[in-house]
Amino acid sequence: MTRPAFDQAGLAALLADPATVKVLAVPGPGDLPRLVPVPALQEGDQERLVLPERHESAESQRGLLRALWYDRPVALLLTHPDGRALELRARPLQAHVTGPLFLRHYQELRGREGDVGLSAVWEIAVEAGFDQSLAARDAAEAARHPGFTHLDRIAV
């Protein structure tokens, strides 16, 4: 199955827009996938994503750690009210709990939200991305099945 690819500029725009809903799918216990909202997800350096995680026992933290330990992929879905949607296949690379990246995010978070903690800053590598907008999915379906149509659309 061929899917429309995404563009890096489109990804950056979605990540930067506060109206974008960001959802992370991670491996859960017993291989049951878990979906977690991750509004703090942002663009990082070297075409990576970063996810500052505030809580040690958060579902995202446990799932990313499970994916890292067992070399499992994760997925992200970014959707916008205007219809843009990107599906990303990715892998967690590292959880920073100290160092310059952690310190930068820690200081930004405390400057924005006051006396709060930061557990880790995750670096996530995007391996593939797909345009999941309705327009892209309609076009892909039309290309795969050019003759398919519903009877109500051809009835006169």
Side-chain angles (χ1 to χ4, degrees):
M1 173 170 86
T2 304
R3 298 190 201 193
F6 77 107
D7 66 289
Q8 193 67 33
L11 171 59
L14 273 175
L15 286 168
D17 193 325
T20 300
V21 175
K22 305 165 188 171
V23 178
L24 171 66
V26 293
D31 286 335
L32 180 66
R34 300 292 304 204
L35 297 173
V36 184
V38 288
L41 183 72
Q42 56 198 265
E43 190 173 22
D45 298 332
Q46 302 169 359
E47 297 185 0
R48 294 181 178 163
L49 304 177
V50 293
L51 177 61
E53 178 51 65
R54 290 176 48 174
H55 304 103
E56 284 290 332
S57 62
E59 190 75 43
S60 56
Q61 183 95 314
R62 292 192 319 255
L64 286 166
L65 189 58
R66 193 176 287 115
L68 182 65
W69 283 351
Y70 298 106
D71 193 29
R72 304 278 309 275
V74 299
L76 293 144
L77 181 63
L78 311 177
T79 61
H80 194 275
D82 68 7
R84 289 177 290 161
L86 287 178
E87 172 194 354
L88 304 174
R89 301 290 169 85
R91 288 196 188 270
L93 298 176
Q94 185 173 0
H96 296 263
V97 295
T98 188
L101 181 67
F102 179 87
L103 183 60
R104 185 178 85 220
H105 286 277
Y106 181 69
Q107 290 170 336
E108 287 174 8
L109 178 66
R110 289 180 62 91
R112 206 173 46 248
E113 298 185 30
D115 186 21
V116 296
L118 183 62
S119 172
V121 177
W122 283 90
E123 270 191 287
I124 301 169
V126 175
E127 295 180 339
F130 309 99
D131 183 346
Q132 289 289 15
S133 66
L134 182 57
R137 289 184 291 140
D138 284 349
E141 193 64 22
R144 257 193 314 273
H145 306 289
F148 284 14
T149 189
H150 289 269
L151 290 177
D152 64 327
R153 295 184 67 203
I154 59 174
V156 178

